[in-house]
Amino acid sequence: MTSFAALAALAFMLAAPFGVGVTGAQAAEPHKVAIHIDENDPKRMNLALNNVQNIKAYYDEKGEDVTIEVVTYGPGLHMLRADTSPVANRIKMMSMEIAGLSFAACGNTRNAMAKNEGKDIPLLEDATEVPSGVVRLIELQEDGYAYVRP
């Protein structure tokens, strides 16, 4: 191998992890976004859902995949409560329309609300309970998710 060929091969190997000189045959890793809601504020909830739609539209236009998880805890759990969510219909529609979108409800908050209210706290069918919303956000960030708090 000539020294030029060896240098070219080395340059490609060093550049490939950064997307430089990579052909279309190598698909980019999907983008990952965690959106944090901890307030019982319909404006904040709608802003978060607007963020979801805008992020999805942006990456769709670029032909790139994105995974988005909305994580709720504390007063923000109302976003995913079947009995109190001001955005339930919007969540249902978005869950059907947007692949890679999920909603996580804090189990600690749900249990505390159930104890305080003396009843079971129903979640929207599109929500999944996680043991701890805060820990879920930590795990997502450790897994490379970008963190957004509208």
Side-chain angles (χ1 to χ4, degrees):
M1 181 182 287
T2 68
S3 58
F4 177 75
L7 284 174
L10 179 61
F12 180 79
M13 289 188 310
L14 292 174
F18 301 103
V20 178
V22 177
T23 66
Q26 291 178 309
E29 286 289 316
H31 302 277
K32 300 183 289 188
V33 181
I35 299 179
H36 169 184
I37 296 294
D38 65 356
E39 296 177 41
N40 185 12
D41 178 0
K43 289 181 184 177
R44 180 82 53 173
M45 294 173 191
N46 276 298
L47 179 59
L49 296 175
N50 291 345
N51 288 168
V52 168
Q53 288 179 309
N54 291 338
I55 291 165
K56 178 67 172 151
Y58 176 82
Y59 287 117
D60 279 354
E61 188 173 307
K62 293 181 73 174
E64 297 175 12
D65 293 327
V66 63
T67 300
I68 304 169
E69 185 165 328
V70 178
V71 180
T72 66
Y73 65 83
L77 185 68
H78 285 280
M79 181 179 192
L80 301 180
R81 282 183 59 162
D83 59 342
T84 62
S85 176
V87 292
N89 291 334
R90 191 168 179 203
I91 288 172
K92 183 166 196 64
M93 293 303 300
M94 290 176 73
S95 293
M96 289 188 294
E97 295 171 355
I98 300 175
L101 173 61
S102 61
F103 295 89
C106 177
N108 288 335
T109 299
R110 186 178 186 196
N111 292 335
M113 286 181 173
K115 184 177 178 182
N116 289 339
E117 296 177 30
K119 65 176 187 173
D120 184 45
I121 304 301
L123 296 177
L124 298 174
E125 63 182 48
D126 299 302
T128 300
E129 183 175 322
V130 296
S132 167
V134 172
V135 172
R136 182 65 183 150
L137 285 169
I138 293 167
E139 292 170 344
L140 291 171
Q141 290 177 78
E142 288 175 343
D143 192 34
Y145 277 66
Y147 171 82
V148 176
R149 185 171 187 269

